[in-house]
């Protein structure tokens, strides 16, 4: 893809140096339902909601329990920043989420 852009639209090709944007990729085996990342993220968001909940539930509160878990970009970013700050580690430059059932069924000790 980069070679096509370089040939046809060189003004659109941008290089981002590792020093400015990070050198690590973080890979998670997570299908958004039963992966560790999504489970901990969901628990964290539920904890935040219960701490800030008013005594009057919102009109769509009943519907939320039946909707698929779909956090916003801002919620995921805030969660990642909080966790990596707690771990005293820099944020990775990218996150990958592997959804293959073959990978999801691996024992944790066999994940790579």
């Amino acid at each position: 893809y980069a070679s096509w852009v370089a040939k046809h639209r060189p003004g659109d090709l941008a290089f981002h140096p590792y020093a400015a944007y990070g050198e690590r990729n973080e890979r998670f085996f997570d299908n958004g339902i039963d992966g560790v990342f999504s489970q901990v993220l969901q628990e964290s968001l539920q904890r935040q909601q219960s701490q800030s909940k008013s005594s009057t539930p919102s009109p769509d509160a009943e519907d939320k329990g039946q909707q698929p878990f779909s956090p916003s970009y801002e919620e995921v970013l805030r969660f990642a920043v909080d966790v990596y700050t707690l771990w005293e580690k820099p944020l990775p430059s990218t996150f990958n989420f592997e959804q293959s059932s073959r990978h999801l069924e691996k024992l944790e000790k066999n994940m790579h």
Side-chain angles (χ1 to χ4, degrees), residues 34-104:
D34 53 6
V36 174
F37 186 96
S38 59
Q39 286 180 351
V40 175
L41 171 58
Q42 191 166 8
E43 290 168 4
S44 173
L45 292 174
Q46 287 172 345
R47 218 175 11 261
Q48 290 172 16
Q49 289 172 353
S50 69
Q51 290 171 352
S52 65
K53 225 179 221 182
S54 66
S55 58
T56 308
S58 64
D60 62 340
E62 292 176 18
D63 296 338
K64 287 189 179 191
Q66 297 177 3
Q67 294 178 356
F69 177 59
S70 182
S72 69
Y73 173 82
E74 290 79 14
E75 290 171 324
V76 174
L77 179 60
R78 189 172 41 248
F79 171 74
V81 168
D82 290 348
V83 168
Y84 280 83
T85 300
L86 181 67
W87 292 342
E88 298 178 348
K89 293 173 77 176
L91 276 172
S93 52
T94 60
F95 288 102
N96 288 329
F97 293 93
E98 176 65 57
Q99 296 185 27
S100 165
S101 59
R102 180 177 67 84
H103 283 109
L104 292 171

